[in-house]
């Protein structure tokens, strides 16, 4: 992998970009690969990277219909945490958290992972009980999490309105101090660069339009640039996963919904952590540029448009102003939407399928960014061995046949 010295950076800065080397190649697709990954978001790119790095499988293509990271990966609000309730999901997200903690070094690329703490506010007695249950469940799994009383919370987050004179006064909070944020597009770029340097072909502007399946076995993908063969195909297409399953002739229990976010004009540092409230329903952090990064729940309707409705923005901002009254005078700069694929138990699908050799990694809904390295890591092992990685095993799509659901609607934190 290419490494730049300080002098190298200076030279490139003074060359006005003209002599900058491409960070990854732009190869023509080969006729046949050992593995094809459909979808060049963070999860697809991480899968390709770990296939090459940990399993020595380098004859791999990532096929992306747009540009790398242009889906939910670069549209999300970058919250990373591993405080999930059930053992299966706690293991999955904690696996990811441990990878995040060494990711910049591993990729030799600064993904700006900042463990600034993620707070979940409690506004009712039930919130407090749920919070305590979550903290205890996490501690049993060796995942540090804490319960805070409101006085302590007010000291830690001065901008938060902890007075009793609000519609739903804050009574306490949980805090996962190892949680935080990362720079989303740097995550895509870091994985892309590292995978490319190990020999993975990153094929952009190429849409997969179907699968070639003979006698129930996948043989490759039909694309807008023709057929590309592979006996192992991993589909990592987030909000488009239902469509992709349709191409393969089966149904997935996923619904595609818009999920919106917005950022404000940049302001001076005022919030050095992530604050989420399920109850008034909004969350906020502050980016290194100074923007307030804000979001809430999904738009209730199904759709594939990367936008959303005004009423969600209105409710979200009402919640933010209730939590942080001083933000009422801050102007919003931008709003956008992504398409998230939600499942009935708010947990992902990392699974083989009724088609031999075809695997799906999807259903991350509103919360897959935090899982990116862990998801790629266990999916790569699943593809390489053609057998579910132990952490991935509970997330089989067939749990919706046998009823072994893992209900994480509470810990998913963002309503859906
Ligand atoms: P994507 O990044 O969407 O990648 C899928 C790729 O597949 C896309 O690039 C797409 O173009 C490509 N594709 C689709 N169909 C085809 C095809 N036919 N052929 C070729 N390519 C195809 N998660 C968190 O953990 N924390 C958060 O704070 C958070 N906030 C969010 C806020 C918003 C507004 C949104 C929308 C999501 C948020 N999420 C969050 C969820 C998170 O963004 C996703 O779960 C995660 O990024 C999914 O990554 P991915 O790589 O699976 O999908
Ligand atoms: O999963 O933590 C999360 C999250 C926050 C915002 C959107 N998803």
């Amino acid at each position: 992998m290419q490494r730049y010295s300080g002098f190298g950076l200076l030279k490139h800065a003074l060359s006005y970009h003209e002599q900058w080397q491409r960070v990854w190649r732009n190869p023509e697709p080969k006729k046949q690969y050992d593995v094809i990954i459909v979808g060049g978001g963070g999860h697809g790119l991480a899968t390709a990277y770990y296939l090459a790095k940990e399993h020595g499988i380098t004859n791999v293509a990532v096929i992306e219909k747009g540009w790398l990271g242009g889906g939910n990966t670069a549209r999300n609000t970058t919250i990373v945490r591993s405080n999930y309730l059930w053992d299966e999901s706690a293991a999955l997200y904690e696996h990811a958290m441990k990878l995040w903690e060494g990711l910049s070094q591993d990729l030799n690329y600064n993904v700006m992972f900042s463990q600034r703490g993620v707070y979940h506010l409690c506004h009712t007695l039930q919130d407090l009980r749920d919070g305590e249950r979550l903290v205890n469940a996490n501690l049993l799994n060796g995942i540090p999490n804490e319960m805070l009383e409101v006085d302590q919370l007010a000291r830690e987050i001065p901008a938060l309105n902890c007075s009793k004179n609000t519609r739903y006064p804050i009574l306490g909070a949980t805090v996962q101090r190892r949680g935080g944020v990362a720079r989303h597009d740097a995550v895509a770029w870091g994985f892309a660069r590292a995978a490319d340097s190990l020999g993975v072909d990153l094929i952009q502007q190429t849409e997969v339009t179907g699968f070639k399946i003979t006698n129930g076995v996948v043989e490759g993908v039909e694309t807008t640039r023709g057929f590309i063969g592979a006996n192992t195909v991993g589909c990592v297409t987030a909000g488009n996963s239902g469509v992709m399953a349709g191409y393969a002739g089966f149904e997935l229990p996923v619904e595609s919904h818009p999920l919106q976010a917005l950022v404000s004009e940049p302001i001076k540092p005022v919030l050095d952590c992530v604050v989420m409230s399920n109850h008034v329903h909004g969350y906020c952090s502050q980016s290194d540029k100074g923007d307030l990064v804000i979001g809430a729940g999904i738009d209730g309707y199904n759709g594939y448009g990367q936008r959303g409705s005004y009423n969600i923005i209105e409710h979200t901002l009402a919640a933010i102003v209730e939590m942080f009254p001083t933000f009422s005078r801050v102007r919003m700069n931008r709003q956008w939407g992504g398409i998230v694929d939600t499942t009935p138990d708010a947990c992902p699908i990392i699974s083989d399928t009724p088609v031999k050799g075809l695997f799906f990694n999807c259903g991350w809904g509103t919360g897959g960014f935090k899982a990116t390295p862990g998801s790629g890591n266990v999916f790569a092992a699943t593809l390489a061995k053609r057998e579910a990685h132990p952490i991935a095993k509970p997330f089989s799509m067939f749990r919706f046949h046998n009823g072994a659901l893992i209900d994480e609607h509470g810990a998913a934190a963002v309503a859906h």
Side-chain angles (χ1 to χ4, degrees), residues 212-290:
K212 184 172 180 204
I213 298 166
T214 308
N215 298 327
V217 180
V218 75
E219 292 182 345
V221 296
E222 304 291 350
T223 80
T224 44
R225 289 164 78 177
F227 174 76
I228 309 177
N231 295 325
T232 305
V233 177
C235 194
V236 200
T237 49
N240 285 291
S241 299
V243 175
M244 303 305 290
Y247 292 159
F250 60 89
E251 276 187 57
L252 281 177
V254 293
E255 282 190 12
S256 293
H257 286 270
L259 177 66
Q260 304 188 52
L262 48 159
V263 291
S264 74
E265 61 187 339
I267 57 173
K268 284 186 182 168
V270 63
L271 186 62
D272 63 0
C273 59
V274 179
V275 179
M276 307 184 72
S277 167
N278 284 9
H279 202 87
V280 297
H281 206 215
Y283 63 85
C284 188
S285 67
Q286 188 171 21
S287 77
D288 295 339
K289 278 190 298 179

Side-chain angles (χ1 to χ4, degrees), residues 37-46 62-81 84 93 100 180-181 184 188 203 205-211 222-223 235-241 243-244 247 257-262 274 276 283 293-296 306 336-341 361-372 375 414:
I37 305 295
V38 187
H43 290 228
L45 293 165
V62 176
I63 303 182
E64 165 56 48
K65 72 174 174 182
W67 62 95
L68 301 179
N72 290 338
T73 294
R75 289 166 185 271
N76 80 86
T77 45
T78 79
I79 298 172
V80 175
R81 55 190 175 86
Y84 279 69
Y93 291 101
W100 278 112
V181 290
H184 45 21
I203 318 271
Q205 305 294 337
T206 305
E207 182 168 353
V208 170
T209 53
F211 298 101
E222 304 291 350
T223 80
C235 194
V236 200
T237 49
N240 285 291
S241 299
V243 175
M244 303 305 290
Y247 292 159
H257 286 270
L259 177 66
Q260 304 188 52
L262 48 159
V274 179
M276 307 184 72
Y283 63 85
V293 182
I294 291 169
Q306 288 171 316
W336 66 90
I339 301 302
V340 297
D341 45 337
N361 179 343
C362 62
W364 293 94
T366 59
F369 177 71
K370 66 176 80 64
T372 305
S375 157
V414 175

Side-chain angles (χ1 to χ4, degrees), residues 49-64:
Y49 169 66
Y50 290 115
L51 268 173
K53 183 191 167 213
E54 295 196 350
H55 305 280
I57 303 175
T58 56
N59 187 24
V60 175
V62 176
I63 303 182
E64 165 56 48

Side-chain angles (χ1 to χ4, degrees), residues 149-190:
E149 294 196 357
V150 67
D151 299 355
Q152 172 79 16
L153 184 64
R155 280 195 292 279
E156 294 193 12
I157 315 177
L160 188 63
N161 184 2
C162 290
S163 83
K164 293 196 170 61
N165 306 322
T166 58
R167 196 165 49 123
Y168 297 110
I170 298 166
L171 305 179
T174 65
V175 54
Q176 187 180 30
R177 299 196 189 276
R178 285 163 68 226
V181 290
R183 169 87 191 263
H184 45 21
D185 35 22
V187 173
W189 298 334

